[in-house]
Amino acid sequence: GGQATYLHCDITDDDQVQALVAAAVGWRDRVDVAVNCAGFEQSTPLADLTPDKLEAMHAVQLTGALYCMRHLCNAIAAHGEGGSFLSLSSQTAHSPSIGMIAYASAKAAVEYATKIAAVEYGPKGVRCNAIAAALIETPMTSRIFTIEPVIQAVRELTPLGRMGSAQDIANALMFFASDASG
């Protein structure tokens, strides 16, 4: 069994992200793998998208993701043996739907930023990938799972005929975190 610890960090604050990474490096002397999965969703059609709602969504989904990407990729590159930085994205970045403009635009931006990070950090041995999850039942999406016709439609549009699970996403993350994804 490995050891684990919990550190609180507001990823919208660059200083807190930098302190989190410094604490992680101080605890284990290095960072080999990092996953940015912080996020929240607040459906709002464009007609009702206020500056406060947009800024809140992008602060976590985009700005915070970039702070994490920067500090953690730097930490992974620092020890010279490579590693993996992963971001969770969303299929909403590829499948337009009503009310998802702030969330989906941020996730699309994170995917593109991940491509740039892969080019910049690849020569340093850092693999950068994003996993665009489909509709997965989590506390954030639980209200959608109460609408049976929506869930049935997703099942019917999915080749395997089932909803994805958090374990499916964890399995993909484990693959990309491992050297097998090299």
Side-chain angles (χ1 to χ4, degrees), residues 92-178:
T92 61
H94 306 278
S95 303
S97 59
I98 293 170
M100 299 302 287
I101 194 160
Y103 181 81
S105 64
K107 291 300 189 180
V110 165
E111 288 185 16
Y112 203 82
T114 299
K115 292 177 183 182
I116 293 169
V119 170
E120 291 183 3
Y121 285 93
K124 299 172 184 173
V126 182
R127 302 179 312 278
C128 297
N129 289 284
I131 294 173
L135 181 60
I136 304 292
E137 189 168 10
T138 67
M140 187 176 85
T141 62
S142 61
R143 65 181 166 72
I144 297 168
F145 281 79
T146 65
I147 309 168
E148 186 51 41
V150 171
I151 301 308
Q152 187 57 36
V154 173
R155 280 190 193 108
E156 289 175 9
L157 292 170
T158 303
L160 293 178
R162 69 170 181 85
M163 298 299 296
S165 69
Q167 188 61 55
D168 293 328
I169 303 304
N171 291 343
L173 288 169
M174 290 301 292
F175 169 73
F176 284 111
S178 77

Side-chain angles (χ1 to χ4, degrees), residues 42 44 49 53-54 57-58 61 99-107:
Q42 184 179 20
T44 306
L49 187 62
K53 287 182 180 179
L54 176 62
M57 290 294 296
H58 278 200
Q61 258 74 236
M100 299 302 287
I101 194 160
Y103 181 81
S105 64
K107 291 300 189 180

